[in-house]
Amino acid sequence: MKSSTNRSGLLRRFGLWLVFALVTSVLMAVSPTFRTSVNLENILEQNAVIGIVACGMAVMMISGGFDLSVGAVGATTSVVGAVVASRGHGAIMTIAAGLAAGLAVGVANGILIAKVRINAFVATFAMASIVSGLLFVATGAESKQGVTPLLESAANARVAGIPVIFAVFMCCLLAVWFLLTRTKYGHYIYSVGGNAEASHLSGVPVQRVQIFAFAMGGLMAAGAGLLLLGQTMVGQPSAAADWPLEAIAICVVGGIALTGGVGRIEDVLAATLLLGVISNGLNQLNVSPYWKPTVTGLVILMAVVIDRYSRLHNGAGRRRGSRNSPASAAPGAPTTPLTPSAST
C-alpha cells in the first residue's frame, strides 16, 4: 500500500515532465528540423509570453478565481507602451505606464470579485469587454507604432543561444514560486482557494488576498503585453485575444484545479513547454493547422482525467491510512502551518 502511494506521489510530481520528455524525444526522432538548435530556441522564445500570462493566471486560479480579461490587458498595455514610447519617453516611463495599466485592471477585477462579490467569470468577462471597447474607441481600431530599445532587446535578443525573453519568463516563474511557497500571502492564497469561508473564520484577510491575486494576474499580463510590443514593435488593439483560454489551458494541464487551492507553479513551466512543443512539432511535421485545437483539446482532457484519477486514488489511500493521523495536505499546497493575521 505504501509503495503504491509513493508511486502515485512520484507520478503526480514528475508525470508531466515525463510526458514532456517523451513527446520531445519522439518529435526529435521523427523530425530532423524539430531537433535543430534554432528551432528549439524558437520554442522557448515563442512560448515565453504566454508562459508569463500563465504565471499570473496560476496565482488567480489557486486563489479560487480566473481572469478572462488578461488578453484585453495585454493589448491595452502594448498600445499604451507604444504611445508612450512614440512620444519620446524612455524605457522606464514606457514600462511603468504599461504595468500601471495592467495593475489597475487587475485591482478593479479583484475589488469586483472580493468586495462586490461578483462571480469571477462575469466580472472578468465584463471587464474584458469594457477595456477592449474603450481601447478600440480610443485608437479608432488602428495600430500604434513605437517601442524602446530595451523592450526590443528583451523580446528578441539571445545570450549564449538562450532567448532573453525566456529568461524573463523564468524570473517571473521564480518570483511566483517564491510568493506561493515562501511567503505568508502564498499560504493565504492556497487557503482562500481551498475554502474561503473557513479561511475567513480562521482570520485570513480573504478580500485582500483575492484582490492581491488579481493584481498579480494583471501585472503579469501587462508585462507580457510589453514584451509582445517588443516582439512586434506595434501596439495592436486586437492582439492577445487568445491569451485567456491559452493561459487557463496551460494551468489546467499543469494540474492547477479550477476550484482553487491546488497547484504547483513549476508544473506551469512543464505545461507551457509541453503545449509549445506539441504545437511546434505539428508545424514541423507539416500537419494541417486545423488539427492544432483538436490535439490541444485532447491533451487538456487527458491531463484532467489523469489528475482526477490520481486525486481520487490519493484521497482513498489517505482515508484508509490516516485513521489515527491528521489528513495530508492537498497536492501542490504548502505544508507550512498557516499563521493568519487577525484582520479581514
Side-chain angles (χ1 to χ4, degrees), residues 55-77:
C55 286
M57 188 68 75
V59 175
M60 293 183 284
M61 287 177 63
I62 292 173
S63 74
F66 56 87
D67 188 355
L68 298 179
S69 68
V70 291
V73 169
T76 300
T77 302

Side-chain angles (χ1 to χ4, degrees), residues 198-222:
S199 298
H200 172 73
L201 294 175
S202 299
V204 174
V206 173
Q207 292 184 351
R208 278 189 288 167
V209 169
Q210 290 173 328
I211 293 172
F212 174 80
F214 279 87
M216 281 289 298
L219 202 61
M220 290 289 180

Side-chain angles (χ1 to χ4, degrees), residues 8 16 20 44 57 75 123 131 162 185 198 216 256 265 287 316 325:
S8 179
L16 193 59
F20 167 68
L44 299 182
M57 188 68 75
V131 172
I162 302 299
Y185 254 67
M216 281 289 298
I256 295 177
I265 193 63
V287 176
S325 62

